[in-house]
Amino acid sequence: MSEKRKIIPKKTKRLKSRPRRWPLLKLAVPVVLLIFVALGLYVTYLDKVIRQKFDGKRWALPAVVYSRPLELYPDLPFTASMLADELQLAGYRRDKAAKDPGGYDLAGNVMHLVTRDFSFADGLEKSARLTVEFSGSVVRKISATETGAEISLARLDPVRIGSFHPLENEDRIVYSREELPDLLVKTLLAVEDQHFYTHFGVDPLGILRAMLANVRAGKTVQGGSTLTQQLVKNFFLNNERTLQRKFNEVIMAQLLEVHYSKDEILTAYVNEIFLGQDRGRAVHGFGLASQFYFRREMKDLSVAQMAMMVGMIKGPSYYDPRRHVERCLLRRQVVLDLMLSEGVISAETHALAKEAKLEMTGAVQSAFNRYPAFLDLVRRQLGEEYHEEDLTSNGLKILTTLDPQVQMRVERHLGETLSSLEKRTGSSGLEGAVVVSSREGGEILAVAGGRNALQPGFNRALDAQRPIGSLIKPVVYLTALANGYSLASPVQDVSLTVTAAGSKAWRPANYDKKEHGLVPFHEALANSYNLATIRIGMDVGVEKVVDNLKRMGINREFQPYPSFLLGTAAMSPLEVAQIYQLFATGGFYQPQRVIGSVLTLENKVVQRFGLTVEQRFPPETIFLLNTALQRVVAHGTGRSLLTYIPATVQAAGKTGTTDELRDSWFAGFTGDRLAIVWIGRDDNKPTVLTGSSGAMVVWGKIMQSLHPQPLELLEPEGIQWARVDAGIYGRSHAPSRDNALLPFAAGTLPAGAAPASPSSSPAGVETWEKKVPEVLNSIRGWFQ
């Protein structure tokens, strides 16, 4: 009985503890429910994130900028080395025998190349196999490689010179599922996710296998993430190694599989995966990576090349073939072994691919974002027509006017000449800027914003506002020619004092500190006499000169002070180019342009940038001025230019120098090109260079390398030629004054002048009647 009494209290104790557990259970149920609700809400949020980004525009595709297309034809002044240089810039590769698009081979004076498909504004230019034969420095013959049929004109796909990225600086070439090579798909699945088409976003067996392999190896040798998980990590998340990120990755991978097909996920992965860094841009996707590493389309990659790129997924920097050759090669061999074991390739193909050398293209620099000054100008002109988002996310194709051949020469001669000038003068810190355009069309062919062409930053060609010095004088003399002066008008080059209310008296002087007395109008311009220019400008009115400058396209306010006549107004080299473009085109105003057309990602034309042409000055007046500018080079301050180009080119131009030799300028044009060169210092200290000893040297070397065409001025109807007795100006030692043959507008022939027959017109002049049909046809062509 006593033992039973002992049992009773134990039983009583157990009954008393039971009521205490019910409150804990009641508390746990709502907590668990709350966790499930929160988890459900969080999953719903992740689902919304996925669908918003994946259903919309998946990538911000930058606008891609191209140069002008290279057009080859017989007798074109173009060498084999020039063509090879441009093909390298365009991302072509040199093969032993050109077979695939984007390849070329060169043996002696014969080049074989296979162009790439490219959609221009006027339609698709399909890939072609071409043979180009050279004779000396010209193209002798172009023919179809397969048939031998001669071709009169071949248009090559242009150089990709840059793109406008969003803040992320990502770039990619987007492919559809149908465009993915079968070799790439099979290799990806064999290496990265063998159960891709059977799992639901996460592969538990794959994770287990990876864990066992890592334990056996004592280090991480295999990953367990599926392609879907990798896409989630790259597309939605980041590379943080946290439990929260891994949790998000697992959930989002399964959500992605719920909403989208396997092919959609695979295609997005191929376009998204990070595969390297090209200076300032991240290389995403196999499409761009194949161009970046091999200069080939994906469909043209060899087995070894495909294996190398798939192997780089594991670590693009670690396996970079240009920095870590052995690592990359070993990784490629591992991938090739997997391709063999999974039946992607045969044993024979495997053996050949393993013997292949690792292809290296790092020594060749493409033109991508290589011309920051030109791209800056392109972006500014596009900014007048398009929103920033259009340029950085809609994948526009921008076809520009840049000529890589001209740009390369501009960069080389500007840098080399500035270094040479610094050595010669013992100075340092010289900077420069160059703008080159076509003479007739106004297309800007090259821009250099500084001596270091690859360095972005301050663009002196567009933003350096510097006094232009004597470059303003042709505007002064043009105004005078339109107001009663002729090239033979006598002008006093003697000292004067200019006074104005509220300011000190100003006594200008010539550069040589001398007075030259009574001189011919054309000689005052050729020798850049300041005193004569001041007298001419004040006689016709400074306000008229300022107004004419505005008519030339410089839409800014300038105070009509007398000092304006000597170039105290500050302008950029680009603005000066616009002024001289009007001279070069015979008085036609046409805004200089850098863009030819804009196409959408689907190659539909959005806009063509045609020419706006308006004759703002009479052709007779411009003809007289241009004849005087030719005399600047033949007899005046520009005569040392004939060291670089022959006199038969009949170039027209003007030197410019500012106070204390702070700025050195030269502006001029030949039969085919116009160029403006400025040299100075960013701190505005003296350069010890005049226009002829500094900027003109750069100009001359650039033009010398471009083999300029002769300048043939169009002679308007009514022009009369005559010789003026030099004795009317007084005594002079200037040989250019004796027996000078000068043109005159109708009714302006001076008394005592001896008319000359048309046959005695100087070289470089053609009659208006002979050339005007050609000009009209050219202008019509601009609008077609």
Coordinates of all heavy atoms in Angstrom, one line a residue, residues 557-630:
E557 N 27.5 86.4 -79.9 CA 27.6 87.9 -79.8 C 29.0 88.3 -79.7 O 29.7 87.8 -78.8 CB 26.7 88.5 -78.7 CG 25.2 88.2 -78.9 CD 24.7 88.9 -80.1 OE1 25.1 90.0 -80.5 OE2 23.8 88.3 -80.8
F558 N 29.5 89.2 -80.6 CA 30.8 89.8 -80.5 C 30.7 91.3 -80.5 O 29.9 91.9 -81.2 CB 31.7 89.3 -81.7 CG 31.9 87.9 -81.8 CD1 31.1 87.1 -82.6 CD2 32.9 87.3 -81.0 CE1 31.4 85.7 -82.7 CE2 33.1 85.9 -81.1 CZ 32.3 85.1 -81.9
Q559 N 31.5 91.9 -79.6 CA 31.5 93.4 -79.5 C 32.3 93.9 -80.7 O 33.4 93.5 -81.0 CB 32.1 93.8 -78.2 CG 31.3 93.5 -77.0 CD 29.9 94.1 -77.0 OE1 29.8 95.2 -77.5 NE2 28.9 93.3 -76.5
P560 N 31.8 94.9 -81.5 CA 32.4 95.4 -82.7 C 33.6 96.4 -82.3 O 33.6 97.5 -82.8 CB 31.3 96.0 -83.4 CG 30.4 96.5 -82.4 CD 30.4 95.5 -81.3
Y561 N 34.5 96.0 -81.5 CA 35.6 96.8 -81.2 C 36.7 96.7 -82.3 O 36.8 95.6 -83.0 CB 36.3 96.4 -79.9 CG 35.4 96.5 -78.7 CD1 35.4 95.4 -77.7 CD2 34.6 97.6 -78.5 CE1 34.5 95.5 -76.6 CE2 33.8 97.7 -77.3 CZ 33.8 96.7 -76.4 OH 32.9 96.8 -75.3
P562 N 37.4 97.7 -82.5 CA 38.5 97.6 -83.6 C 39.4 96.5 -83.4 O 39.9 95.9 -84.4 CB 39.2 99.0 -83.5 CG 38.2 99.9 -82.9 CD 37.4 99.1 -82.0
S563 N 39.7 96.1 -82.2 CA 40.7 95.0 -81.9 C 40.1 93.6 -82.5 O 40.8 92.7 -82.7 CB 41.0 94.8 -80.5 OG 39.8 94.6 -79.7
F564 N 38.8 93.6 -82.7 CA 38.1 92.4 -83.2 C 38.7 92.1 -84.6 O 38.8 90.9 -85.0 CB 36.6 92.6 -83.3 CG 35.9 91.5 -84.0 CD1 35.5 90.4 -83.2 CD2 35.6 91.5 -85.3 CE1 34.8 89.3 -83.8 CE2 34.9 90.5 -85.9 CZ 34.5 89.4 -85.2
L565 N 39.1 93.1 -85.3 CA 39.7 92.9 -86.7 C 41.0 92.2 -86.7 O 41.4 91.7 -87.7 CB 39.8 94.3 -87.3 CG 38.6 95.1 -87.4 CD1 38.9 96.6 -87.9 CD2 37.6 94.5 -88.4
L566 N 41.7 92.1 -85.6 CA 42.9 91.4 -85.5 C 42.8 90.1 -84.7 O 43.8 89.4 -84.4 CB 44.0 92.2 -84.8 CG 44.4 93.5 -85.5 CD1 45.5 94.2 -84.8 CD2 44.7 93.3 -87.0
G567 N 41.5 89.6 -84.5 CA 41.3 88.3 -84.0 C 41.4 88.1 -82.5 O 41.8 87.1 -82.0
T568 N 40.9 89.1 -81.8 CA 40.9 89.0 -80.3 C 39.7 88.1 -79.9 O 39.7 87.6 -78.7 CB 40.8 90.4 -79.6 OG1 39.6 91.0 -80.2 CG2 42.0 91.2 -79.9
A569 N 38.8 87.9 -80.8 CA 37.6 87.0 -80.4 C 38.1 85.6 -80.2 O 38.9 85.1 -81.0 CB 36.6 87.1 -81.5
A570 N 37.6 84.9 -79.2 CA 38.0 83.5 -78.9 C 37.0 82.6 -79.5 O 35.8 82.8 -79.4 CB 38.1 83.3 -77.4
M571 N 37.5 81.6 -80.2 CA 36.7 80.5 -80.8 C 37.4 79.2 -80.7 O 38.6 79.1 -80.4 CB 36.5 80.8 -82.3 CG 35.8 82.1 -82.6 SD 35.5 82.3 -84.4 CE 35.3 84.1 -84.5
S572 N 36.6 78.1 -80.9 CA 37.2 76.8 -80.9 C 37.6 76.4 -82.3 O 37.2 77.0 -83.3 CB 36.1 75.8 -80.4 OG 35.1 75.6 -81.4
P573 N 38.5 75.4 -82.4 CA 38.9 75.0 -83.8 C 37.7 74.5 -84.6 O 37.7 74.7 -85.8 CB 39.9 73.8 -83.5 CG 40.5 74.2 -82.1 CD 39.4 74.8 -81.4
L574 N 36.7 73.9 -84.0 CA 35.5 73.5 -84.7 C 34.8 74.7 -85.3 O 34.3 74.6 -86.4 CB 34.6 72.7 -83.8 CG 33.4 72.1 -84.5 CD1 33.8 71.0 -85.5 CD2 32.4 71.5 -83.4
E575 N 34.7 75.8 -84.5 CA 34.0 77.0 -85.1 C 34.8 77.6 -86.2 O 34.2 78.0 -87.2 CB 33.9 78.0 -83.9 CG 32.8 77.6 -82.9 CD 32.7 78.6 -81.8 OE1 33.8 78.9 -81.2 OE2 31.6 79.0 -81.4
V576 N 36.1 77.6 -86.1 CA 37.0 78.1 -87.2 C 36.8 77.2 -88.4 O 36.7 77.8 -89.6 CB 38.5 78.1 -86.8 CG1 39.3 78.5 -87.9 CG2 38.7 79.1 -85.6
A577 N 36.7 75.9 -88.2 CA 36.4 75.0 -89.4 C 35.1 75.4 -90.1 O 35.1 75.3 -91.3 CB 36.4 73.6 -88.9
Q578 N 34.1 75.8 -89.3 CA 32.8 76.2 -90.0 C 33.0 77.4 -90.8 O 32.4 77.5 -91.9 CB 31.8 76.4 -88.9 CG 30.4 76.7 -89.4 CD 29.8 75.6 -90.2 OE1 29.4 74.5 -89.6 NE2 29.7 75.7 -91.5
I579 N 33.8 78.4 -90.4 CA 34.0 79.6 -91.1 C 34.7 79.3 -92.5 O 34.3 79.7 -93.5 CB 34.9 80.6 -90.3 CG1 34.2 81.0 -89.1 CG2 35.3 81.8 -91.2 CD1 35.1 81.8 -88.1
Y580 N 35.8 78.5 -92.4 CA 36.6 78.2 -93.6 C 35.9 77.2 -94.5 O 36.2 77.1 -95.7 CB 38.0 77.7 -93.2 CG 38.9 78.9 -92.8 CD1 38.8 79.6 -91.6 CD2 39.9 79.3 -93.7 CE1 39.6 80.7 -91.3 CE2 40.7 80.4 -93.4 CZ 40.6 81.1 -92.2 OH 41.4 82.2 -91.9
Q581 N 35.0 76.5 -93.9 CA 34.2 75.6 -94.8 C 33.4 76.4 -95.8 O 33.2 76.0 -97.0 CB 33.2 74.7 -93.9 CG 32.5 73.6 -94.7 CD 33.4 72.4 -95.0 OE1 34.1 71.9 -94.1 NE2 33.5 72.0 -96.2
L582 N 32.9 77.5 -95.4 CA 32.1 78.4 -96.3 C 33.0 78.9 -97.4 O 32.6 79.0 -98.6 CB 31.5 79.5 -95.5 CG 30.6 80.5 -96.4 CD1 29.3 80.8 -95.6 CD2 31.4 81.8 -96.7
F583 N 34.3 79.3 -97.1 CA 35.2 79.7 -98.1 C 35.5 78.5 -99.1 O 35.4 78.7 -100.3 CB 36.6 80.1 -97.5 CG 36.5 81.2 -96.6 CD1 37.5 81.4 -95.6 CD2 35.5 82.1 -96.6 CE1 37.4 82.4 -94.6 CE2 35.4 83.2 -95.7 CZ 36.4 83.3 -94.7
A584 N 35.7 77.3 -98.6 CA 36.1 76.2 -99.4 C 34.9 75.7 -100.3 O 35.2 75.2 -101.4 CB 36.5 75.0 -98.5
T585 N 33.7 76.0 -99.9 CA 32.6 75.5 -100.8 C 32.1 76.7 -101.7 O 31.0 76.5 -102.3 CB 31.4 75.0 -99.9 OG1 31.1 76.1 -99.0 CG2 31.8 73.8 -99.1
G586 N 32.8 77.7 -101.8 CA 32.4 78.8 -102.7 C 31.3 79.7 -102.2 O 30.5 80.2 -103.0
G587 N 31.2 79.8 -100.9 CA 30.2 80.7 -100.4 C 28.9 80.0 -99.9 O 28.0 80.7 -99.4
F588 N 28.9 78.7 -100.0 CA 27.7 77.9 -99.5 C 27.8 77.7 -98.0 O 28.9 77.2 -97.6 CB 27.6 76.6 -100.2 CG 27.1 76.6 -101.7 CD1 28.0 76.7 -102.7 CD2 25.8 76.7 -101.9 CE1 27.5 76.7 -104.0 CE2 25.3 76.8 -103.2 CZ 26.2 76.8 -104.3
Y589 N 26.8 78.0 -97.3 CA 26.8 77.6 -95.9 C 26.2 76.2 -95.7 O 25.1 76.0 -96.2 CB 26.0 78.6 -95.1 CG 25.7 78.1 -93.6 CD1 26.7 78.1 -92.7 CD2 24.5 77.6 -93.3 CE1 26.5 77.7 -91.4 CE2 24.2 77.1 -92.0 CZ 25.3 77.2 -91.1 OH 25.1 76.7 -89.8
Q590 N 26.9 75.4 -95.1 CA 26.4 74.0 -94.8 C 27.0 73.6 -93.4 O 28.2 73.6 -93.3 CB 26.7 73.0 -95.9 CG 28.2 73.0 -96.3 CD 28.5 72.0 -97.4 OE1 27.6 71.3 -97.8 NE2 29.7 72.0 -97.9
P591 N 26.1 73.4 -92.5 CA 26.7 73.0 -91.1 C 27.5 71.7 -91.3 O 27.1 70.7 -91.9 CB 25.4 72.7 -90.3 CG 24.3 73.4 -91.0 CD 24.7 73.4 -92.5
Q592 N 28.7 71.8 -90.7 CA 29.6 70.6 -90.7 C 28.9 69.5 -90.0 O 28.2 69.7 -89.0 CB 30.9 70.9 -90.1 CG 31.7 71.8 -91.0 CD 33.2 72.0 -90.5 OE1 33.4 72.2 -89.3 NE2 34.1 71.8 -91.4
R593 N 29.1 68.2 -90.4 CA 28.3 67.1 -89.8 C 29.2 65.9 -89.6 O 30.2 65.8 -90.3 CB 27.1 66.7 -90.7 CG 27.5 66.3 -92.1 CD 26.3 66.3 -93.0 NE 26.7 65.8 -94.4 CZ 26.5 64.6 -94.8 NH1 26.0 63.7 -94.1 NH2 26.9 64.3 -96.0
V594 N 28.9 65.1 -88.6 CA 29.7 63.9 -88.3 C 28.8 62.7 -88.5 O 29.3 61.6 -88.4 CB 30.3 64.0 -86.9 CG1 31.3 65.0 -86.8 CG2 29.2 64.2 -85.9
I595 N 27.5 62.8 -88.7 CA 26.6 61.7 -88.7 C 26.0 61.6 -90.1 O 25.5 62.6 -90.6 CB 25.5 61.8 -87.7 CG1 26.1 62.0 -86.3 CG2 24.6 60.6 -87.6 CD1 25.1 62.5 -85.2
G596 N 26.0 60.4 -90.6 CA 25.3 60.1 -91.9 C 23.9 59.7 -91.8 O 23.0 60.2 -92.4
S597 N 23.7 58.7 -90.9 CA 22.4 58.1 -90.7 C 22.3 57.4 -89.4 O 23.3 57.0 -88.8 CB 22.0 57.2 -91.8 OG 22.9 56.2 -92.0
V598 N 21.1 57.2 -88.9 CA 20.8 56.4 -87.6 C 19.9 55.3 -87.9 O 18.8 55.6 -88.6 CB 20.3 57.4 -86.6 CG1 20.0 56.6 -85.3 CG2 21.2 58.5 -86.3
L599 N 20.2 54.1 -87.5 CA 19.3 52.9 -87.7 C 19.0 52.3 -86.4 O 19.7 52.5 -85.4 CB 20.1 51.9 -88.6 CG 20.2 52.1 -90.1 CD1 21.1 53.2 -90.4 CD2 20.7 50.8 -90.8
T600 N 17.8 51.6 -86.4 CA 17.4 50.9 -85.1 C 18.2 49.6 -85.0 O 18.9 49.2 -85.9 CB 15.9 50.6 -85.2 OG1 15.7 49.7 -86.2 CG2 15.1 51.9 -85.4
L601 N 18.0 48.9 -83.9 CA 18.6 47.6 -83.7 C 18.1 46.6 -84.8 O 18.9 45.7 -85.1 CB 18.2 47.1 -82.3 CG 18.8 45.8 -81.8 CD1 20.3 46.0 -81.7 CD2 18.2 45.3 -80.5
E602 N 17.0 46.9 -85.4 CA 16.4 46.0 -86.4 C 16.8 46.5 -87.8 O 16.3 46.0 -88.8 CB 14.9 45.9 -86.3 CG 14.4 45.2 -85.1 CD 14.5 46.1 -83.9 OE1 14.4 47.4 -84.1 OE2 14.5 45.6 -82.7
N603 N 17.8 47.5 -87.9 CA 18.3 48.0 -89.1 C 17.3 48.8 -89.9 O 17.4 48.9 -91.2 CB 18.9 46.9 -90.0 CG 20.1 46.3 -89.3 OD1 21.0 47.0 -88.8 ND2 20.2 45.0 -89.3
K604 N 16.3 49.4 -89.3 CA 15.4 50.3 -89.9 C 15.9 51.7 -89.8 O 16.4 52.1 -88.7 CB 14.0 50.2 -89.3 CG 13.3 48.8 -89.5 CD 12.0 48.8 -88.9 CE 11.3 47.4 -89.1 NZ 10.0 47.3 -88.5
V605 N 15.8 52.5 -90.9 CA 16.4 53.8 -90.9 C 15.5 54.7 -90.0 O 14.3 54.9 -90.2 CB 16.5 54.4 -92.3 CG1 17.0 55.8 -92.2 CG2 17.4 53.5 -93.1
V606 N 16.1 55.4 -89.0 CA 15.4 56.3 -88.2 C 15.6 57.7 -88.7 O 14.6 58.5 -88.8 CB 16.0 56.3 -86.7 CG1 15.3 57.4 -85.8 CG2 15.8 54.9 -86.1
Q607 N 16.8 58.0 -89.2 CA 17.0 59.4 -89.6 C 18.2 59.4 -90.5 O 19.2 58.7 -90.3 CB 17.3 60.3 -88.4 CG 17.4 61.8 -88.8 CD 17.5 62.7 -87.5 OE1 17.6 62.2 -86.4 NE2 17.5 64.0 -87.7
R608 N 18.2 60.2 -91.6 CA 19.3 60.5 -92.4 C 19.7 62.0 -92.2 O 18.8 62.8 -92.2 CB 19.0 60.3 -93.9 CG 18.7 58.9 -94.3 CD 18.3 58.9 -95.8 NE 17.8 57.6 -96.2 CZ 18.6 56.7 -96.9 NH1 19.9 57.0 -97.1 NH2 18.1 55.5 -97.3
F609 N 21.0 62.2 -92.0 CA 21.4 63.6 -91.8 C 21.9 64.1 -93.1 O 23.1 64.1 -93.5 CB 22.6 63.6 -90.7 CG 22.1 63.3 -89.3 CD1 21.6 62.1 -88.9 CD2 22.0 64.4 -88.4 CE1 21.2 61.9 -87.6 CE2 21.5 64.2 -87.1 CZ 21.1 62.9 -86.8
G610 N 21.0 64.7 -93.9 CA 21.4 65.3 -95.2 C 22.0 66.6 -95.0 O 22.1 67.2 -93.9
L611 N 22.3 67.2 -96.1 CA 23.0 68.6 -96.0 C 21.9 69.7 -96.1 O 21.0 69.6 -96.9 CB 24.0 68.7 -97.1 CG 25.3 67.9 -97.0 CD1 26.2 68.2 -98.2 CD2 26.0 68.1 -95.7
T612 N 22.2 70.7 -95.4 CA 21.4 72.0 -95.6 C 22.4 73.0 -96.3 O 23.3 73.4 -95.7 CB 21.0 72.5 -94.2 OG1 20.2 71.6 -93.5 CG2 20.2 73.8 -94.4
V613 N 22.1 73.2 -97.5 CA 23.0 74.1 -98.3 C 22.3 75.4 -98.7 O 21.2 75.4 -99.2 CB 23.4 73.3 -99.6 CG1 24.4 74.2 -100.4 CG2 24.0 72.0 -99.3
E614 N 23.0 76.5 -98.4 CA 22.5 77.8 -98.7 C 23.6 78.7 -99.1 O 24.6 78.9 -98.4 CB 21.8 78.4 -97.4 CG 21.2 79.8 -97.6 CD 20.7 80.4 -96.3 OE1 20.6 79.6 -95.3 OE2 20.4 81.6 -96.3
Q615 N 23.5 79.3 -100.3 CA 24.5 80.3 -100.7 C 24.3 81.6 -100.0 O 23.4 82.3 -100.3 CB 24.5 80.4 -102.2 CG 25.5 81.4 -102.8 CD 26.4 80.8 -103.8 OE1 25.9 80.0 -104.6 NE2 27.7 81.2 -103.9
R616 N 25.3 81.9 -99.2 CA 25.2 83.1 -98.4 C 26.1 84.3 -98.8 O 25.9 85.4 -98.4 CB 25.5 82.8 -96.9 CG 24.4 81.9 -96.3 CD 24.6 81.8 -94.8 NE 23.5 81.0 -94.2 CZ 23.4 80.7 -92.9 NH1 24.3 81.2 -92.0 NH2 22.3 80.0 -92.5
F617 N 27.0 84.0 -99.7 CA 27.9 85.0 -100.3 C 28.0 84.8 -101.8 O 28.0 83.7 -102.3 CB 29.3 84.9 -99.6 CG 29.3 85.3 -98.2 CD1 29.0 84.4 -97.2 CD2 29.5 86.7 -97.8 CE1 29.0 84.8 -95.9 CE2 29.5 87.0 -96.5 CZ 29.2 86.1 -95.5
P618 N 28.1 85.9 -102.5 CA 28.2 85.8 -104.0 C 29.4 85.0 -104.4 O 30.5 85.1 -103.8 CB 28.3 87.2 -104.5 CG 27.8 88.0 -103.3 CD 28.1 87.3 -102.1
P619 N 29.3 84.1 -105.4 CA 30.4 83.3 -105.8 C 31.6 84.1 -106.3 O 32.7 83.8 -106.2 CB 29.8 82.4 -106.9 CG 28.6 83.1 -107.4 CD 28.1 83.8 -106.2
E620 N 31.3 85.3 -106.9 CA 32.4 86.2 -107.4 C 33.3 86.6 -106.3 O 34.5 86.6 -106.3 CB 31.8 87.4 -108.1 CG 31.0 87.1 -109.4 CD 29.5 86.7 -109.0 OE1 29.1 86.8 -107.8 OE2 28.8 86.4 -109.9
T621 N 32.6 87.1 -105.2 CA 33.4 87.6 -104.0 C 34.2 86.5 -103.4 O 35.4 86.7 -103.0 CB 32.4 88.2 -103.0 OG1 31.5 89.1 -103.6 CG2 33.2 88.9 -101.9
I622 N 33.6 85.3 -103.2 CA 34.4 84.2 -102.6 C 35.5 83.8 -103.5 O 36.6 83.4 -103.1 CB 33.4 83.0 -102.4 CG1 32.4 83.4 -101.3 CG2 34.2 81.8 -102.0 CD1 32.9 83.6 -100.0
F623 N 35.3 83.8 -104.8 CA 36.4 83.4 -105.8 C 37.6 84.4 -105.6 O 38.7 83.9 -105.6 CB 35.8 83.5 -107.2 CG 36.9 83.2 -108.2 CD1 37.3 81.9 -108.5 CD2 37.5 84.2 -109.0 CE1 38.3 81.6 -109.5 CE2 38.5 83.9 -109.9 CZ 38.8 82.6 -110.2
L624 N 37.3 85.6 -105.5 CA 38.4 86.6 -105.3 C 39.1 86.3 -104.0 O 40.4 86.4 -104.0 CB 37.8 88.0 -105.3 CG 37.1 88.5 -106.6 CD1 36.6 89.9 -106.4 CD2 38.0 88.4 -107.8
L625 N 38.4 86.1 -102.9 CA 39.0 85.9 -101.7 C 39.9 84.6 -101.7 O 41.0 84.6 -101.2 CB 38.0 85.7 -100.6 CG 38.5 85.3 -99.2 CD1 39.3 86.5 -98.6 CD2 37.4 84.9 -98.2
N626 N 39.3 83.5 -102.3 CA 40.1 82.3 -102.3 C 41.4 82.4 -103.2 O 42.4 81.8 -102.9 CB 39.2 81.1 -102.9 CG 38.2 80.7 -101.8 OD1 38.3 80.9 -100.6 ND2 37.2 80.0 -102.3
T627 N 41.3 83.2 -104.2 CA 42.5 83.4 -105.0 C 43.5 84.1 -104.1 O 44.7 83.8 -104.2 CB 42.1 84.3 -106.2 OG1 41.1 83.7 -107.0 CG2 43.4 84.6 -107.1
A628 N 43.1 85.1 -103.3 CA 44.0 85.8 -102.4 C 44.6 84.8 -101.4 O 45.7 84.9 -101.0 CB 43.3 86.9 -101.7
L629 N 43.7 83.8 -100.9 CA 44.2 82.9 -99.9 C 45.2 81.9 -100.6 O 46.1 81.4 -99.9 CB 43.0 82.1 -99.3 CG 42.1 82.9 -98.4 CD1 40.9 82.1 -98.0 CD2 42.9 83.4 -97.2
Q630 N 45.1 81.6 -101.9 CA 46.1 80.8 -102.5 C 47.4 81.6 -102.6 O 48.5 81.0 -102.5 CB 45.6 80.5 -104.0 CG 44.5 79.4 -104.0 CD 44.1 79.1 -105.4 OE1 44.0 80.0 -106.3 NE2 43.9 77.8 -105.7

